[in-house]
Amino acid sequence: QKEVEQNSGPLSVPEGAIASLNCTYSDRGSQSFFWYRQYSGKSPELIMFIYSNGDKEDGRFTAQLNKASQYVSLLIRDSQPSDSATYLCAVTYSGAGSYQLTFGKGTKLSVIP
Amino acid sequence: DGGITQSPKYLFRKEGQNVTLSCEQNLNHDAMYWYRQDPGQGLRLIYYSQIVNDFQKGDIAEGYSVSREKKESFPLTVTSAQKNPTAFYLCASSMGTENNEQFFGPGTRLTVL
């Protein structure tokens, strides 16, 4: 059973603070990890992906991956009210020559002005 | 403009009717996917296709059918056998490789009356 676990939240942070979103996964063979942002009533938007252990930074976003602990996180620096959304963690698993994503249920982030 | 389009945006169905949701992409992606999202839930995979004229069942394929006659198109039919079809339906596409960045269309919200 491929599982991706996220704290459902809501996670509330004040404007300008760092938001930390966490995700654990069960498949030790997973190689690719993605963070999507989903505004209410809209479709998911890819914001970060990471394939190697360590940190990957893109603007205000940093993805962190620890394969030994089967843990991936997303940090949002200088949080803005426009960051208020649900953040979905997704993990690739492979089978029969194809690649699918397993999604967590998402963490709802609220940035308070 | 490159992207993924889905139509219609909203769809209302009477019980016992089949309905077809459209998904088209002009990203030249090989792989296409259909997901279902229920309130407070993550995305669940219905069907996916890696190449034209081939597709596989995902985790919740019962009551759904698909076709892949063209690379650009992957329509989903929700049949009367689907017991609880009211949901947000999302189509995605990717290159189909292991580092499998999937991009989503805007979604179709289906309501059964």
Side-chain angles (χ1 to χ4, degrees):
Chain A
Q1 183 83 11
K2 316 292 185 183
E3 293 184 348
V4 177
E5 300 288 338
Q6 294 183 255
N7 188 326
S8 63
L11 173 65
S12 294
V13 300
E15 183 175 356
I18 296 174
S20 177
L21 305 163
N22 304 316
C23 173
T24 59
Y25 59 95
S26 63
D27 182 12
R28 191 169 284 279
S30 296
Q31 295 295 323
S32 308
F33 307 86
F34 304 87
W35 283 100
Y36 287 84
R37 176 176 63 199
Q38 186 175 25
Y39 292 113
S40 181
K42 302 297 186 181
S43 63
E45 172 192 10
L46 180 65
I47 55 171
M48 287 288 287
F49 56 88
I50 186 166
Y51 307 137
S52 304
N53 274 331
D55 294 359
K56 178 182 178 182
E57 186 174 319
D58 183 1
R60 294 186 297 112
F61 298 100
T62 299
Q64 299 175 317
L65 174 61
N66 183 327
K67 290 186 178 180
S69 300
Q70 295 175 241
Y71 177 93
V72 58
S73 64
L74 178 70
L75 301 178
I76 306 175
R77 289 182 300 281
D78 188 24
S79 295
Q80 300 297 309
S82 58
D83 295 325
S84 297
T86 296
Y87 290 80
L88 302 173
C89 174
V91 174
T92 295
Y93 68 91
S94 63
S98 64
Y99 302 96
Q100 297 91 49
L101 292 179
T102 298
F103 285 83
K105 294 184 179 180
T107 297
K108 186 172 183 178
L109 173 66
S110 180
V111 180
I112 311 301
Chain B
D1 279 344
I4 306 171
T5 58
Q6 291 185 244
S7 62
K9 186 174 181 179
Y10 298 98
L11 185 57
F12 298 91
R13 190 195 92 171
K14 293 182 180 178
E15 286 194 14
Q17 285 183 335
N18 292 354
V19 291
T20 297
L21 283 57
S22 170
C23 178
E24 304 275 336
Q25 56 97 2
N26 61 4
L27 300 170
N28 198 34
H29 283 168
D30 290 314
M32 297 186 74
Y33 311 82
W34 274 105
Y35 294 91
R36 167 182 174 142
Q37 187 176 36
D38 295 283
Q41 300 295 313
L43 279 65
R44 292 184 290 169
L45 183 64
I46 304 172
Y47 267 99
Y48 63 98
S49 169
Q50 295 285 112
I51 57 173
V52 174
N53 292 323
D54 189 43
F55 48 83
Q56 284 77 41
K57 294 181 179 180
D59 300 320
I60 55 165
E62 185 176 352
Y64 299 98
S65 65
V66 294
S67 62
R68 186 88 185 275
E69 297 177 0
K70 299 186 299 181
K71 186 176 184 178
E72 302 79 18
S73 178
F74 191 40
L76 173 74
T77 296
V78 184
T79 75
S80 57
Q82 169 49 235
K83 300 301 182 190
N84 185 20
T86 295
F88 189 37
Y89 289 88
L90 290 157
C91 178
S93 70
S94 76
M95 292 303 295
T97 58
E98 182 169 6
N99 294 336
N100 192 23
E101 299 158 39
Q102 290 187 19
F103 299 94
F104 285 85
T108 292
R109 196 166 297 277
L110 173 63
T111 302
V112 173
L113 302 174

